[in-house]
Amino acid sequence: MTTEELSHAAAEPDQLHTPAPDDLALLMLTSGSTGSSKAVRLTHANLLAAQAGKAGALELGPDDTSLNWISVDHIAAIEAHLLPMFNGADQVMTTPATVLADPVEFLRLLTAHRVRVTFTPNFLFGQINQALTGRPASEREVDLSSVRHIISGGEATVTATVRAFLDTLSHYGLRGDVIVPAFGMTEICAGSVFNRDFATHDLETEFPPRWGARCGACGFVSPTTTARCRPPPTGPDRPSRARCSCTVRWSPTATSAMSGPPHGRSPPTAGSAPGIWATSIPRAG
């Protein structure tokens, strides 16, 4: 059904749908960087668990206004929309062209709306560095003292680029601990591993490792350098499957879960991968 059709339809009380946690909420395409894009099946439980985990891992609340400029057909934009809704916080949405046409506009938007949380791939750090080298912004134009987190994901975070970014923007009130390298995929509802120790441990490395990164899906700290998040020991603190954002992806010709089911099986249901709660590296079938 198209949005035009929906706009002319009057909903009756008996037509209102109350979803179950495992009901399909949306199908979101993967990037297709290693093959054809696949539609990832995300349930209401997946999305809600992911937002709860992210809010806890990043310690977010109703005062944490966010800014998103990523296109809304990307899972990062879905995260940037749902997370402030979950926290009862304000959100500012703009188009990619607004930022890409003038990277310094990103800083102006952070300033104008007193943004505390935002997201950007590494390349924008470099573009902002270059733009400010040619034309420094005035301190009246840019004030970044409100920013708490700039989540860096979507590609590798290059530490030298980030160091230059932090050094340049410290003159505009940006704290040295705001950059949070993160990892996520469409299958795990975007960001799921956040390195909040980057500023204190990793600024001298070429690429920040994920040692000790906190898993946004399950809320516990990964003990491995590969950032694979394993369930904690059995007991009352073990997360329930309902709290996990791990899901499956589906296409008419290909099926995979995070644990990689044998070829030829029917598409698995969400959360059916045995023994996996949240993972950022696919495991061999």
Side-chain angles (χ1 to χ4, degrees), residues 171-264:
H171 302 294
Y172 302 97
L174 189 69
R175 298 201 322 259
D177 62 351
V178 299
I179 306 298
V180 181
F183 179 86
M185 297 183 291
T186 309
E187 292 89 336
I188 48 177
C189 304
S192 290
V193 177
F194 303 94
N195 182 358
R196 293 187 61 186
D197 295 326
F198 173 63
T200 55
H201 291 88
D202 304 324
L203 271 176
E204 300 306 316
T205 61
E206 182 178 3
F207 299 101
R210 298 186 184 120
W211 178 267
R214 182 171 296 278
C215 171
C218 297
F220 54 87
V221 175
S222 167
T224 68
T225 54
T226 59
R228 175 174 291 153
C229 301
R230 303 179 185 278
T234 56
D237 294 330
R238 182 179 179 124
S240 68
R241 186 171 298 280
R243 291 178 55 201
C244 178
S245 63
C246 186
T247 186
V248 303
R249 63 185 185 182
W250 174 89
S251 75
T253 58
T255 298
S256 65
M258 300 308 293
S259 60
H263 179 71

Side-chain angles (χ1 to χ4, degrees), residues 13 19 25 46 48 69 89 95 145 172 262 265 279:
N46 291 151
L48 289 171
W69 59 276
T95 62
S145 58
Y172 302 97
R265 287 188 182 176
T279 181

Side-chain angles (χ1 to χ4, degrees), residues 27 42 45 51 56 64 84 114 119 173 202 210 235 256:
L27 293 170
L42 296 176
Q51 307 324 307
D64 292 308
R114 308 299 292 172
F119 166 86
D202 304 324
R210 298 186 184 120
S256 65

Side-chain angles (χ1 to χ4, degrees), residues 4 10 16 33 39 52 63 117 137 139 148 180-181 241 247 267 276:
E4 289 78 13
L16 298 179
S33 56
D63 295 330
V117 182
E139 293 184 11
R148 286 188 61 208
V180 181
R241 186 171 298 280
T247 186
I276 295 180

Side-chain angles (χ1 to χ4, degrees), residues 68-87:
N68 173 61
W69 59 276
I70 305 299
S71 176
V72 294
D73 61 356
H74 193 285
I75 189 61
I78 300 301
E79 171 185 295
H81 174 55
L82 293 181
L83 188 53
M85 287 184 65
F86 181 88
N87 293 315

Side-chain angles (χ1 to χ4, degrees), residues 128-129 132-133 162-172 174:
I128 291 173
N129 292 343
L132 292 178
T133 299
V162 172
R163 279 203 306 265
F165 177 82
L166 291 172
D167 289 345
T168 298
L169 294 178
S170 64
H171 302 294
Y172 302 97
L174 189 69

Side-chain angles (χ1 to χ4, degrees), residues 70-127:
I70 305 299
S71 176
V72 294
D73 61 356
H74 193 285
I75 189 61
I78 300 301
E79 171 185 295
H81 174 55
L82 293 181
L83 188 53
M85 287 184 65
F86 181 88
N87 293 315
D90 290 338
Q91 58 181 288
V92 180
M93 306 286 282
T94 188
T95 62
T98 301
V99 170
L100 297 178
D102 179 7
V104 179
E105 184 64 18
F106 176 70
L107 307 180
R108 299 189 192 102
L109 289 169
L110 296 179
T111 300
H113 299 283
R114 308 299 292 172
V115 171
R116 291 164 64 88
V117 182
T118 189
F119 166 86
T120 180
N122 184 83
F123 76 84
L124 186 64
F125 296 138
Q127 291 187 353

